[in-house]
Amino acid sequence: MADAMIPTLPAPYYEDDAVTLYHGDCREITAWLDADVLVTDPPYGIAFTTGMDHRKNTDRARKRDVAGDLDTSARDYVLAAWGGRPAIAFGSWKAKRPAATRALLTWHKGLNCGMGDLSMPWKPNTEEVYVIGSGFVGHRGSSVLDYQAPPSQVSWGRQHPTQKPLDLMAALIAKCPPGIVTDPFAGSGSTLVAAKQLGRKAIGVELEERYCEVIAKRLAQGVLDFGVTA
């Protein structure tokens, strides 16, 4: 009876020498808590929708919700479970920032940013990045991060509505303390792929299986040289 009560992890959806990926809810699969650094792009809590159509070879306007994005509860749960350890999380000015934020970075994402509010004469070219905890290293550079966002349409190569570019994720991870990187909202897998390509181990959890498939394919590809230093 006692053995039956011992929690067990599901089999990894993908695993190699550097990365372990689980398919499921990060509130139920807690292996990510064994990592050392949290780098994640959680649901922002802004009821995000996109015109992207995830059907193959089409870009017809069909709105899709981001799972768990009606409020910040998923993000807040993960940050509370993580505690005061070093963390980087993306977010939006439309939602309340995490209480433990120690530094605010701004990602300037170029022109691949979507249309935003068409009644305003500006595009939404930026996102917020929250730095939590301590131990970050490297050159003391600008808090404005200039990295081009992935193409805005599926047919042009975008794999997830809120996909982040690899060079941005590599630059952020390069300034993180040493140890295992984790992303419990793995999405298209940019955090995991960047960590692997920087020679770091990583643990990811992704709720939607179709994105687990995307991540597994990306991780199985070759290693690139970002030329990133801490």
Side-chain angles (χ1 to χ4, degrees), residues 94-184:
K94 297 178 183 179
K96 187 176 181 180
R97 293 170 183 158
T101 299
R102 293 193 60 205
L104 176 65
L105 310 180
T106 300
W107 172 34
H108 176 234
K109 54 187 179 179
L111 296 178
N112 292 338
C113 58
M115 298 305 294
D117 184 348
L118 295 178
S119 70
M120 301 294 287
W122 302 278
K123 285 188 174 184
N125 290 74
T126 63
E127 290 188 20
E128 295 187 342
V129 186
Y130 312 120
V131 182
I132 297 167
S134 60
F136 297 93
V137 298
H139 170 71
R140 196 165 188 264
S142 174
S143 62
V144 178
L145 311 173
D146 285 293
Y147 293 91
Q148 183 67 47
S152 58
Q153 301 293 342
V154 174
S155 61
W156 299 343
R158 181 177 282 263
Q159 297 170 297
H160 187 278
T162 63
Q163 183 174 341
K164 300 301 183 285
L166 282 179
D167 51 357
L168 168 62
M169 303 314 298
L172 291 171
I173 292 170
K175 291 197 172 184
C176 288
I180 299 172
V181 176
T182 191
D183 187 351

Side-chain angles (χ1 to χ4, degrees), residues 199-220:
R200 298 183 68 153
K201 292 185 180 297
I203 301 170
V205 182
E206 170 51 37
L207 182 63
E208 298 193 59
E209 187 171 7
R210 60 192 169 127
Y211 294 131
C212 287
E213 182 179 354
V214 168
I215 296 168
K217 289 180 179 178
R218 295 182 75 190
L219 287 168

Side-chain angles (χ1 to χ4, degrees), residues 26-120:
C26 63
R27 290 166 291 191
E28 300 172 359
I29 300 173
T30 58
W32 59 275
L33 285 167
D34 293 332
D36 303 291
V37 182
L38 175 69
V39 181
T40 190
D41 184 22
Y44 294 174
I46 60 173
F48 176 84
T49 58
T50 175
M52 281 180 60
D53 190 332
H54 290 255
R55 291 172 293 187
K56 190 175 182 180
N57 298 324
T58 74
D59 292 316
R60 299 172 187 170
R62 179 168 68 92
K63 290 185 177 181
R64 295 189 64 92
D65 296 336
V66 170
D69 198 45
L70 294 179
D71 55 42
T72 63
S73 60
R75 180 201 74 181
D76 295 342
Y77 176 91
V78 161
L79 292 180
W82 188 251
R85 293 183 287 168
I88 293 176
F90 285 80
S92 168
W93 62 271
K94 297 178 183 179
K96 187 176 181 180
R97 293 170 183 158
T101 299
R102 293 193 60 205
L104 176 65
L105 310 180
T106 300
W107 172 34
H108 176 234
K109 54 187 179 179
L111 296 178
N112 292 338
C113 58
M115 298 305 294
D117 184 348
L118 295 178
S119 70
M120 301 294 287

